[in-house]
Amino acid sequence: MDEKRDYYEVLGVERNAAAGEIRKAFKRLAMEHHPDRNPGDLAAEDRFKELAEANEVLADPQKRELYDQYGHAGPRQAGFQGFSGVEDILSHFADMFGGFGFARGGSGGGRARVEQGDDVQIEMTVSFLEAARGCHKALELQRLVSCKVCSGNGGKAGTQPVACGTCRGRGQVASHQGFLTIATTCPTCRGRGQLLKDKCDECRGSGVERIKESITVNVPAGIDDGQTLRVPGKGQAGPSGGPPGHLYVTFQVLEDARFERSGDDLYTHVSLTFAQAALGARIQVPTLDGDVELAVPAGMQPGTVQVLRGKGMPNVHGRGVGNLAVRFTVAVPKKLTAEQRQLVVELARHDPAQPAPEASGRPSPEPKDEPKDEEEGGFFFRRKKKKR
Ligand SMILES: [Zn+2]
Ligand SMILES: [Zn+2]
């Protein structure tokens, strides 16, 4: 899996090849190794898959940049998982191969078409920090896979399926309506082109079996709540040996009390005492990489926002890192000791703009039934996160 060849080498182009060169090289090589031109040739099929993957990365400026910088891990980190198989590639490049003049399963193609298995959707919960850093998460999945006894063809070991008599192995039958010839999936073999003489004992001819499988999901750094990742080929096996469907993982990202997220940017707030705000201080600010020290200048006004560049969330597609906006608030004590009160009165007396309050030294009335503090997150006036 990790012994992948260099994508430039796969396509036979220079590292600084222009986009047009890459496209041309891919078209030429893909035509040469196309499965329809090399039926049954597994080496050609592997080469075709390799070409499609190399093209998929190098033809996309973003993915290409990631690849140039980090090798195969770059695009993978950004969520690129390659293709599950030939069918997946062909449907992906349908336009391009259509242009090549290859007909898949059409009346002229002569190649039986098999059904793809169903997709599987699951939800996965990750913590805020797991989403920020990316992680690998294992999960147990009940799914249908190809029967290992008959490799999915459903036939008894040692027996060969026979060509379907109805469609003569083509998987499709033609009906005529006036001058039109309409091809439909063969009802006898359901498009396989073959019929079983003796059924596999293990799967009774279905070609699939239900297993419990442990799958590791590569959670890309920067994934956001509600986003979905496709894990190719991890859906249900196709009936009668068809390619498997895909697994779709939708993430639920748990909240972190310290941060609010908007796209790739994060917001946090730090509460200063009046003395810290007035005199200046060195204070600790939470970031995804742990607390960092910030110097607060003397005379810091409540509501001031300081932006820490590159301290936000990594972009899930690998396009840089967001910022962290730190908003300062100043906490006003709700209760003062007699001594503190005296000092504050003293302070006020020195404020030329304000008339001095009575300095009786009488304790301030106990705050009772005080109104609830504004929700902390409300500082940003943008709490829009829906609760599920
Ligand atoms: Zn079987
Ligand atoms: Zn048939």
Side-chain angles (χ1 to χ4, degrees), residues 7-13 22 25-26 28-29 51 54-55 58:
Y7 287 149
Y8 292 98
E9 193 185 308
V10 169
L11 291 175
V13 294
I22 288 172
F26 171 64
R28 183 174 50 77
L29 291 165
L51 286 164
N55 175 75
L58 297 189

Side-chain angles (χ1 to χ4, degrees), residues 127-134 220-223 261 288 312-314:
S127 74
F128 197 81
L129 285 181
E130 282 173 330
R133 291 175 186 148
I223 196 88
R261 176 175 184 177
L288 292 174
M313 274 279 178

Side-chain angles (χ1 to χ4, degrees), residues 123-127 130 137 249-254:
E123 272 212 356
M124 183 179 264
T125 302
V126 294
S127 74
E130 282 173 330
K137 280 224 150 183
V249 185
T250 300
F251 292 93
Q252 187 191 5
V253 178
L254 299 177

Side-chain angles (χ1 to χ4, degrees), residues 2 16 57 59 90 110 135 141 163 168 177 179 189-190 207 229 253 265 267 271 300 310 313 328 353 370 378-379:
D2 279 308
N16 59 1
V57 169
L90 292 172
C135 61
L141 202 64
R168 272 172 278 150
Q177 284 186 8
F179 294 110
C189 63
R190 297 173 63 198
L229 185 75
V253 178
D265 293 327
Y267 300 82
S271 181
M300 172 63 89
M313 274 279 178
F328 293 100
E370 58 205 68
F379 279 121

Side-chain angles (χ1 to χ4, degrees), residues 147-155 200-208:
C147 169
K148 58 188 173 306
V149 174
C150 62
S151 318
N153 72 27
C200 165
D201 293 328
E202 181 74 19
C203 63
R204 296 199 198 107
S206 69
V208 292

Side-chain angles (χ1 to χ4, degrees), residues 63-82:
K63 289 193 194 117
R64 184 176 177 182
E65 199 183 313
L66 283 171
Y67 176 71
D68 287 345
Q69 230 173 326
Y70 305 107
H72 290 105
R76 210 184 307 143
Q77 181 71 8
F80 175 66
Q81 309 237 11

